[in-house]
Amino acid sequence: MKAAQQLMKVFVTRRIPPEGQKLLSQAENCTVQQWDSDDPVPRAELLKGVAGAHGLLCLLSDKIDQEVLDTAGPNLKVISTLSVGFDHLAINEIKTRGIKVGYTPDVLTEATAELSVALLLATCRRLPEAIQEVKSGGWKSWSPMWMCGYGLSNSTVGIIGLGRIGLAIAQRLKPFGVKKFLYTGRQPRPESATEVNAEYVSCEKLTEDSDFVIVSCSLIPETEGMCNKDFFQRMKKTSVFINISRGSAVNQEDLYQALVSGQIAAAGLDVTTPEPLPTTHPLLGLKNCVILPHIGSATYSTRNTMSVLAVNNLLRGLAGQEMPSELKL
Ligand code: NDP
Ligand code: DGY
């Protein structure tokens, strides 16, 4: 008689979008335990849930560090994150333990690039401020210099990290009449650069020459705190700063000073430190700072697709099959 197959244990740290949830409910060969809430799993529950698990499906708000890995123990074979960013995972430790990691690149590129363009336009043309003026009665008459901002036509746009999302942003901005694209990174990316006729420059030159600086790189030790006092001091007084990467790429105190002192014209942030940003945070008191609650990939269809990919990464990884999107460690 065939021996009964041992079920693998999976822990899922949140309710996930319906299409991924449906796939998860059909999973064979594993018992799924889930933090059944739209709120983040408390640390104690994460540790309890992960103990002895073979697979973990987590979100970017879950810090998967040595303590979590130790608590999971040697059973843990697969971590699948519902994100393309992986800065919340202790990658070196995960690699040492031979754990496979699945993530969700490509499927969110278009939605995130679209949101980045929306944020850039909202920031440079001062949309939240203008809407507020209409509501508060600040709109007295059409006035030649009132509510003026900066336009993309004939501008120079600098992209920090011409990866999947950086390139998709440039492609979407090109039809606005951008004169020149600059980009920086660890090395030139000629194939992507050719598509938008972008020039590879140092970070110093990019900040000095750009009218718009867009941060779309991944958060790694080299990019942590990269946008600091020196960085903002090099930027033009009329320039606009956009960050869709991770909050920690920016020194927020230095950004605040740059915005208050007029060192730069405005900033648009989809990501902050911490998240959520406390409602009393000084950046929220500035008219020239537009802050969104990390909604880059937030379309119904993208989030559903991400969830299906994350579940497939998890289940295929657990089955010892190739994951649709494995992060090469
Ligand atoms: P990619 O891996 O395709 O791109 C990452 C880019 O970062 C590469 O171009 C890389 O360039 C660049 N980079 C790495 N190190 C440096 C450095 N030292 N200086 C400048 N650039 C650097 O990833 P994606 O485009 O798919 O995603 C990028 C990031 O966007 C994610 O890691 C995530 O943090 C963030 N994100 C945010 C979202 C949101 O909702 N706001 C949604 C999705 C992603 P090179 O290799 O040439 O150095
Ligand atoms: C990611 O995937 O890294 C984003 O920040 C959220 O979609």
Side-chain angles (χ1 to χ4, degrees), residues 82-134:
L82 187 79
S83 62
V84 66
F86 47 86
D87 47 283
H88 54 300
L89 309 178
I91 289 297
N92 289 339
E93 195 60 39
I94 288 170
K95 189 176 173 182
T96 307
R97 295 171 193 233
I99 299 167
K100 285 182 182 295
V101 175
Y103 71 145
T104 64
D106 300 312
V107 297
L108 47 57
T109 297
E110 293 186 350
T112 306
E114 187 175 279
L115 187 280
S116 305
V117 173
L119 175 60
L120 185 146
L121 290 171
T123 306
C124 70
R125 297 299 302 272
R126 303 169 62 182
L127 300 191
E129 200 185 332
I131 292 166
Q132 191 49 39
E133 291 291 324
V134 175

Side-chain angles (χ1 to χ4, degrees), residues 161-165 167 183-196 198-200 218:
L162 194 69
R164 289 172 290 250
I165 296 171
L167 176 61
Y183 77 103
T184 195
R186 287 166 296 190
Q187 72 273 313
R189 292 184 166 239
E191 250 177 60
S192 302
T194 308
E195 283 198 39
V196 285
E199 183 188 345
Y200 182 71
S218 29

Side-chain angles (χ1 to χ4, degrees), residues 60 81-88 104-105 108 112 165 244-246 270-271 275 294-298 302-303 306:
L60 57 86
T81 181
L82 187 79
S83 62
V84 66
F86 47 86
D87 47 283
H88 54 300
T104 64
L108 47 57
T112 306
I165 296 171
I244 64 94
S245 158
R246 285 290 184 264
D270 185 42
V271 285
E275 292 185 1
H294 201 151
I295 54 168
S297 63
T302 300
R303 289 285 168 84
M306 286 168 68

Side-chain angles (χ1 to χ4, degrees), residues 17 23 35 46 103 113 122 157 178 195 208 216 235 243 256 279 308:
L23 196 59
W35 181 248
L46 169 62
Y103 71 145
V157 172
V178 170
E195 283 198 39
E208 281 162 13
S216 53
M235 285 175 64
N243 183 21
Y256 178 81
T279 53
V308 169

